[in-house]
Amino acid sequence: QVQLVESGGGLVQAGGSLRLSCAASGSIFSINYMSWYRQAPGKQREFVVIITSGGSTNYADSVKGRFTISRDNGKNTVYLQMNSLKPEDTATYYCNAHIASPGTYGNSYWGQGTQVTVSS
């Protein structure tokens, strides 16, 4: 069994910063990629950023230059540093990861989400 647990959400004023964390635990052999998605009320879940096991990253245009993803492989944890936050960044942020347990090819897992609210 694999779990993803996010933390670090909260309420911040526009222009402020937050740092989200997502820790993977359980029966983990390897983590192929870790990523963040977000979902605002009434909208579909959208991609934010991904980081591969090799450290390659890809950002949504809406967050380029403001958000930075990093990864601590030893802790099976990914971080999302969010700077210059805007009200339109308000959403529930979800961690997603492709994780292989011993003897498996891997599956996609989701965290429970953490709320980020940016006030104007």
Side-chain angles (χ1 to χ4, degrees):
Q1 193 73 7
V2 173
Q3 279 190 319
L4 297 178
V5 178
E6 301 108 330
S7 61
L11 173 64
V12 65
Q13 288 188 332
S17 299
L18 281 175
R19 188 192 194 210
L20 306 184
S21 300
C22 171
S25 63
S27 182
I28 299 171
F29 176 71
S30 64
I31 301 177
N32 298 318
Y33 65 76
M34 299 186 82
S35 59
W36 290 95
Y37 284 73
R38 66 186 182 185
Q39 187 168 18
K43 294 187 177 181
Q44 289 188 333
R45 191 171 297 189
E46 65 174 6
F47 167 79
V48 176
V49 60
I50 188 171
I51 185 166
T52 68
S53 58
S56 297
T57 59
N58 188 37
Y59 292 86
D61 288 343
S62 59
V63 305
K64 279 182 183 177
R66 299 187 299 121
F67 290 11
T68 303
I69 192 170
S70 60
R71 180 172 172 172
D72 185 333
N73 291 330
K75 295 182 178 180
N76 292 330
T77 298
V78 66
Y79 305 96
L80 183 63
Q81 178 66 42
M82 305 185 295
N83 298 327
S84 303
L85 282 161
K86 304 175 181 180
E88 50 263 46
D89 294 318
T90 295
T92 301
Y93 283 70
Y94 296 91
C95 179
N96 171 258
H98 190 274
I99 297 173
S101 298
T104 73
Y105 288 108
N107 290 293
S108 178
Y109 296 90
W110 290 90
Q112 81 287 352
T114 185
Q115 179 67 36
V116 171
T117 302
V118 184
S119 64
S120 57

